[in-house]
Amino acid sequence: MKTERYSMILRNSPMAFAYHKIILDSYGEPCDYIFLEVNPAFEEMTGLSGEAILGKRVTEVIPGIRNEAFDFVGVYGKIALEGGTAEYEQYSAGLNRWYRIQVYSHEKNYFAVNFLDISKEKQQLAERETLMELLKENEMQFHRLIDNLPFSLIISHFDGMILYINDAGMKLFEMSGDVINRKSTIPFWVDITDRRSFLRAIEEQGQIQDFEMNLMSDKGSHFWARGSGMMIKYQNQVAILSTHHDITERKVMETALKMSEEKFRLIFENAAESILIVQNNSIQFFNPMVMKMSGFFAEELSECSFVDMIHPDDRKAAVKAYRDRLTGKGLSEKTQYRVVRKDGEIVWIEAHGVKIEWRGIPAIQYFIIDITEQKRAQDALRASEEQYRLITEFASDIIWVFNYTNDKFTYISPSVYQLLGYQPEEAMDLKLSQIIPEEYLMLVASRTTEIIKEFLDGAGSGKAHIMEVKNIHKNGQLVWFELSSKYRYNQRNEIEIVGVSRNIEERKKAEKEVLYLSYHDQMTGLYNRRFYEEELRRIDHIRNLPITLVLADVNGLKLTNDAFGHIAGDQLLIKTAEVLTREFRQGDLIARIGGDEFVILLPRTDGEETDRIIARIKKALAAERCGNTVVSVSFGAATKQSMAQEMESIFIEAENTMYRRKLNESSSMRNETIKIITHALYTKNHTEEAHSRRVGRLCGKIAEAMEMSEEAINEIITAGFLHDIGKIGMEEKLLSKAEPFSEEEWEEYRRHSEKGYQILKASSEFAQVAQYVLCHHEQMDGQGYPRGIAGEDIPIQSRILRLADAFDTMVHPRGYEEVMTKEDAIRRIRELAGTEFDLQIAELFATKVLPEYLSE
């Protein structure tokens, strides 16, 4: 009865069910599986008939399943072989559907799958972006919809004050009661720099998507969220709309997996030993040190026999040791062989092998160290005393022996002449005070006394001691040396110090340079964030009160990069740094802490004095020019009056002030920059200017004929005048080229509409015009660029601009194209109406606009 009951439940279950048997290849690895049983829900969700698939392999039913991103066979096979359960959300390309899958096994080699079709759910997620746009256009509709959204949504001021939060947001951030205009989002951010990055992206791009943020709830619970944000108009003020999806569990799993994988990878790849696995005399697995030791590439090692690498005279012993380990003999023994590298060089190795199971088959894992140098050292020990003498006399370092008991040198190598200017005989007669400066002599004496005590106690015997000191050259110059020494008794039972002195002048210079780079910004030469944070702790003292913190943010850096390239952007940052360095006081700390952000610490400076300093600096910046770029910086300052105030709060206050000012200042600066860009383009190419003015005029005439409003007419005229502003970055030879473009040149030319959009959208004044410029090369049939949109999806202003631009290019061609008469141009436009051009606009242009235009 139970079997019948369970069978009935399975047949009527709304969840799809399938039962399978796994198929293994010759290596015991899962390679396929067979359908044994499916329920009606399975047939409905997959579109596969049970009658047609039962008893068949999945690769027969879904031929492309092994090519899908998710390894269904491998994952299911592991469950079938090892047991347990697992859950996934995966897309099946073969079935063109998303599924939420639960797989489990109660019998080895068999597994069952329950799943639900979640394609509609996935589609709903994809439609979320469209919903956000609709919410932005209609605030009333926005409120009705978002109250019940399953994810957090918050509207806030730039300074963080909450203007609206939905129920999901209240739950996610663990808040209760009335929070509107009472709570700030700033405490939610665990790392305040993430918030600044989030706000900067919204300010520069208008919106940001899929931003991962580390947050903290009102009750102190930490969590991760993936969110988006955009700038909107809310209650007649500029605000930030942001969404948050809790991804804490995913982040925890990702972090754990990454740490585990990274730890294994680092240990394996950076091991000083060569590690490899040998099975059936073939190398199955190895780390990078094996390639370094042998000189073979990875693919060569994979096809190589382990024995073939061994020197012919040592192969018999190597094979015996390999077999002994497989049979359990000689497990603790280390063997030494000669290995023949790819280049023919012979390397001595010491191998320690351990028997393991590799993919179910016995194998030996070897840990190998290169003992070639050790072998050479042993050979060197057998060399004659003459060889040792040659080593010391021709060494580049100074080798010396100092008799501590008698306070005199007994040997100094000839290299002392090259490094200190003394002949060996002269140097041996010198006192330590003649070689070591007084400030280091006390240090050497103190250290030597400590070492001698250890040596006499027996604790320091055979131990090497290293010290860095300056030595006095014969010419009086001070030179840095590293002294490496050991202490011993000579044959007369006197204490001797055997040492090597190495010139480290270049290393000291490099260390000094590294120290400088670690605390300075490489581009501007200012201090970096690391130095600022360390110096802040030192300055934050009662003796420095009041302490003023100033934040400076360069306006329009992204616009400058888009228009003139990153070199121009770098020059703008360098110029700003020069002015700040010149105008601030000598004792003030200036640091670059971000891409376009600087911080200045003013100890013992109040707010009034800071205002005077900033006013002076803004005046100095206004007088500067950086090529074609406007130098504009927004400042925000806050002053710490007592030690009870936290510098982090002072920073946030200064930052909020700076952002409020930046909203006003950056807008006018961007408008000015766009004018400069336009002037630069038309100064460089007067033909482009004449073309743009004619196109703007034609656009205005078409708009008038269409009875658009005066505001819309002026807007389309502006779009016509600026439609080719994106050509600012093109080389002059490309703009004036008389021959047809190559494919690469066409690719560069087609980018000008997108580049123009990026430049214009940076200014609120030209934000709408930017959309028209972006689409002014789109066609009604969808064959245009850059987006390939068609028909009514193309803004009507862009369709007007497309026709005006094309007509002017026909009658005033540039480069290699032939001049058309106006009649031929109209005929051509009518031929292309409905494909390239809007049919109604083309007819209006031909019958009404052009006759009036020509009669003027």
Side-chain angles (χ1 to χ4, degrees), residues 397-398 419-420 435-437 439-440 443 467-473 477-483 501-512:
D397 298 333
I398 303 172
L419 298 179
L420 287 176
I435 302 174
I436 303 175
E439 63 266 29
Y440 291 98
L443 176 66
M467 184 183 302
E468 293 181 359
V469 298
K470 286 187 177 180
N471 284 180
I472 305 171
H473 194 278
Q477 181 182 358
L478 297 181
V479 183
W480 273 105
F481 277 87
E482 180 184 81
L483 310 183
S501 295
R502 172 167 295 174
N503 184 305
I504 57 170
E505 275 290 313
E506 290 301 319
R507 191 180 85 192
K508 282 292 184 180
K509 290 178 183 177
E511 287 174 355
K512 187 176 180 181

Side-chain angles (χ1 to χ4, degrees), residues 405 452 455-457 461 487-496:
T405 303
I452 287 293
F455 179 75
L456 293 174
D457 292 342
S461 180
Y487 290 63
R488 71 176 187 181
Y489 289 107
N490 64 14
Q491 293 178 345
R492 293 182 296 276
N493 207 33
E494 298 166 336
I495 298 176
E496 283 185 340

Side-chain angles (χ1 to χ4, degrees), residues 197-249:
S197 300
F198 185 73
L199 291 177
R200 188 178 296 113
I202 293 173
E203 181 196 4
E204 293 177 352
Q205 303 169 22
Q207 64 177 10
I208 184 172
Q209 297 177 346
D210 295 329
F211 187 91
E212 292 193 358
M213 53 195 87
N214 190 4
L215 302 173
M216 181 170 62
S217 76
D218 202 36
K219 294 183 178 179
S221 302
H222 286 242
F223 63 94
W224 279 89
R226 186 186 74 249
S228 61
M230 64 174 63
M231 192 181 301
I232 66 169
K233 198 85 168 181
Y234 185 78
Q235 296 178 348
N236 296 321
Q237 55 188 322
V238 177
I240 299 297
L241 183 150
S242 56
T243 65
H244 316 85
H245 293 259
D246 191 345
I247 58 169
T248 305
E249 185 175 347

Side-chain angles (χ1 to χ4, degrees), residues 566-584:
H566 286 276
I567 292 177
D570 292 346
Q571 291 300 318
L572 177 59
L573 290 172
I574 292 169
K575 175 63 69 176
T576 302
E578 290 174 355
V579 175
L580 295 178
T581 303
R582 185 179 70 232
E583 297 297 330
F584 273 105

